[in-house]
Amino acid sequence: MTTATFDFMAPATGKCVPIEAVHHSLSDRTLGEGIAIFPNNNTAVAPCNGVITRVSDHAVTLFDSEHDIELLLTADMDAQHHDFQLHVKAGQTVTTGTELFSCDVAAIKAQGGYVDFSCIVTNLPIEEVSVCAGDVETGKTRMFSCSCPMV
């Protein structure tokens, strides 16, 4: 059996860390491997083509049918800061770079708050995902690679 490796590009510009480096419920990796970005910009974009399968208060689930991969993208921020806007709806087809959600990062930080944008691969074994760390740029920096069996 052969495998294919493909990359997902950063959904935001900022400082990227492995998901276990942040202090919230996703850091234990029970939902999957991933990254968190401490954003410099206000908007998270789709890291790949796909269909929005779910939306919630601060999260979007995106299914990449070409690679059979599901991604959960969230905005984790202080509960007192509710400046969050969804730009997609369930069932919508998106392409790489489509705006998913946004919040006023500078205003949240100015009020002493925190915000990170997380991206989790929810349907692959952990050992098949390689994550990056460091400065990333929206749509230009690889945030992680996945290796999957080809049928």
Side-chain angles (χ1 to χ4, degrees), residues 54-112:
R54 280 178 244 132
V55 296
S56 64
D57 290 342
H58 294 115
V60 171
T61 303
L62 171 63
F63 184 70
D64 173 356
S65 61
E66 181 181 353
H67 302 106
D68 198 30
I69 291 179
E70 183 179 70
L71 301 170
L72 172 65
L73 294 105
T74 69
D76 184 53
M77 63 186 98
D78 286 340
Q80 65 189 5
H81 299 101
H82 293 289
D83 182 27
F84 181 84
Q85 294 180 325
L86 283 168
H87 302 292
V88 293
K89 61 184 182 221
Q92 181 177 340
T93 299
V94 297
T95 58
T96 303
T98 299
E99 291 185 0
L100 300 176
F101 55 78
S102 61
C103 61
D104 191 340
V105 172
I108 292 169
K109 289 179 180 178
Q111 295 174 16

Side-chain angles (χ1 to χ4, degrees), residues 1 9 25 31 36 42 49 52 58 73 95 103 116 121 130 141 151:
M1 180 181 303
M9 305 311 276
S25 62
L31 289 181
N42 294 336
N49 297 336
I52 302 301
H58 294 115
L73 294 105
T95 58
C103 61
D116 72 68
V121 179
S130 172
T141 310
V151 179

Side-chain angles (χ1 to χ4, degrees), residues 119-137:
C119 184
I120 307 295
V121 179
T122 61
N123 66 338
L124 288 177
I126 289 173
E127 63 268 15
E128 293 186 21
V129 180
S130 172
V131 301
C132 75
D135 293 330
V136 295
E137 188 174 345

